[in-house]
Amino acid sequence: MTVPTITLHDGTSIPQLGLGVFQVPPEDTARVVEQALEVGYRHIDTAQMYANEAEVGTGLTAAGIARDDLYITTKLNNGFHRPDDARRAFGESLNRLGLDRIDLFLIHWPLPTEYDGDFVSTWRTLAEFVDDGRATSIGVSNFQPAHLDRIVEETGVVPVVNQVEVHPFFGNEAVREANRRHDVLTEAWSPLAQGAIGGDDAIGEISTVTGKTPSQVVLRWHLQRGDIVFPKTTKVERMQENFDVFDFELTDNQMATIGELDRDEDGRRGPNPDTFDYIPD
Ligand code: NDP
């Protein structure tokens, strides 16, 4: 089975489905990455904050897949927004992952209440990594429409993606709309609402009708909306289940039924990017 790729505005392409490794313990990460690559995944989403980049690197090496067939994303940690820190931290990510190039490097959070609200100089710094060839593409994560408008206006450099919380209970439509306006692809984090979609009746009914699991139904919903997803699991059976979503289609009615589960801000499970100010020690 082949995962469709999406062409980003810089001309590169990204597999629309990958594996996320947030909250995968370091001691399990190499095994999880290797199993995912065996199942057929080629896109891995990690972050400096997840403290498992080195173990992602070990899994990649063990699997022995050609570098050009892999798509690896990592993200700048919140403590490293100052340009010199960002340069150092980016180099450290390359070393930990055992790569000389990262496919996609993101600012993890905008932190508008920290660093005097200056995420623009951080963004300019990421552009250096594309210029010197060590990052193929750069993007952002958790950027609200105003944050996105500001970096594009002040630097002229448009992120290829904006990775934000999106799932049936939190459609995040204002951000998705801002992304579309700038030709930025939406990456939907917590696509399964961290497992909570399993208890929803409407999704359960569509699952019965289609003969697919609730997770497969919801991943299919994201894919048909055109978003990029990387559900997290440490279990190989679920990796297979989440990967097996390319042989059916949801009808317009089923898409709309899932769309109606949107509870707007009440459906958000993670922090609000306008106020989130966490900086690890
Ligand atoms: P997900 O929506 O991917 O849900 C993961 C949870 O669902 C886990 O508890 C997992 O359990 C369970 N699960 C996975 N597959 C199935 C299945 N088929 N059936 C039942 N349960 C299942 O949540 P995440 O928050 O992990 O988001 C995914 C990825 O998004 C992250 O790993 C990370 O890469 C990214 N992310 C980015 C953020 C950002 O700020 N940029 C923030 C949060 C996430 P188990 O492991 O036991 O299978």
Side-chain angles (χ1 to χ4, degrees):
M1 189 162 319
T2 319
V3 173
T5 55
I6 297 193
T7 303
L8 302 170
H9 74 65
D10 64 1
T12 62
S13 54
I14 181 170
Q16 198 182 0
L17 175 78
L19 180 87
V21 296
F22 175 43
Q23 292 174 328
V24 178
E27 61 272 23
D28 294 335
T29 303
R31 188 259 311 160
V32 163
V33 166
E34 214 183 329
Q35 283 179 331
L37 295 170
E38 242 165 70
V39 168
Y41 290 79
R42 292 293 179 266
H43 169 181
I44 307 289
D45 184 273
T46 185
Q48 293 170 354
M49 203 187 288
Y50 305 167
N52 56 18
E53 286 176 311
E55 293 78 9
V56 168
T58 305
L60 296 176
T61 305
I65 292 183
R67 174 67 186 91
D68 284 352
D69 293 338
L70 298 170
Y71 195 96
I72 310 301
T73 299
T74 192
K75 316 182 190 87
L76 183 71
N77 211 341
N78 288 353
F80 304 142
H81 274 214
R82 291 195 183 87
D84 277 347
D85 292 331
R87 291 183 190 110
R88 182 183 43 75
F90 178 73
E92 288 172 358
S93 275
L94 285 172
N95 289 341
R96 279 191 296 267
L97 286 160
L99 300 175
D100 54 16
R101 172 180 68 78
I102 285 171
D103 296 278
L104 177 59
F105 193 61
L106 309 180
I107 299 181
H108 204 150
W109 290 88
L111 305 176
T113 63
E114 296 294 317
Y115 300 103
D116 299 322
D118 175 23
F119 43 76
V120 179
S121 63
T122 315
W123 179 238
R124 276 190 220 284
T125 307
L126 263 61
E128 295 173 13
F129 311 147
V130 175
D131 290 342
D132 68 22
R134 292 182 303 156
T136 303
S137 302
I138 50 171
V140 294
S141 176
N142 299 302
F143 272 45
Q144 300 282 59
H147 306 144
L148 198 56
D149 291 345
R150 185 170 155 210
I151 54 168
V152 173
E153 204 168 292
E154 293 191 28
T155 71
V157 181
V158 182
V160 292
V161 302
N162 185 11
Q163 182 179 129
V164 292
E165 180 175 351
V166 181
H167 45 72
F169 309 133
F170 184 60
N172 216 343
E173 295 306 338
V175 172
R176 289 180 78 249
E177 173 54 33
N179 290 348
R180 270 195 294 273
R181 197 157 35 79
H182 288 290
D183 199 13
V184 169
L185 255 290
T186 300
E187 294 193 325
W189 65 248
S190 292
L192 304 174
Q194 290 165 343
I197 56 99
D200 185 83
D201 289 345
I203 293 169
E205 276 172 35
I206 298 174
S207 161
T208 307
V209 171
T210 55
K212 295 288 174 178
T213 68
S215 296
Q216 289 173 324
V217 166
V218 167
L219 292 171
R220 189 69 218 169
W221 173 78
H222 286 286
L223 295 170
Q224 287 183 215
R225 278 157 53 100
D227 291 353
I228 297 161
V229 282
F230 22 80
K232 170 262 176 186
T233 180
T234 56
K235 301 177 176 67
V236 69
E237 309 76 36
R238 287 180 174 176
M239 289 176 201
Q240 277 154 348
E241 175 185 334
N242 296 345
F243 197 73
D244 185 15
V245 289
F246 298 104
D247 64 347
F248 75 110
E249 258 192 54
L250 298 176
T251 63
D252 290 348
N253 274 346
Q254 290 166 337
M255 290 293 291
T257 301
I258 299 173
E260 281 159 19
L261 301 175
D262 190 355
R263 298 201 294 262
D264 206 17
E265 282 297 321
D266 289 344
R268 202 191 268 284
R269 298 181 68 84
N272 187 319
D274 283 321
T275 51
F276 189 59
D277 60 0
Y278 169 70
I279 295 186
D281 293 334

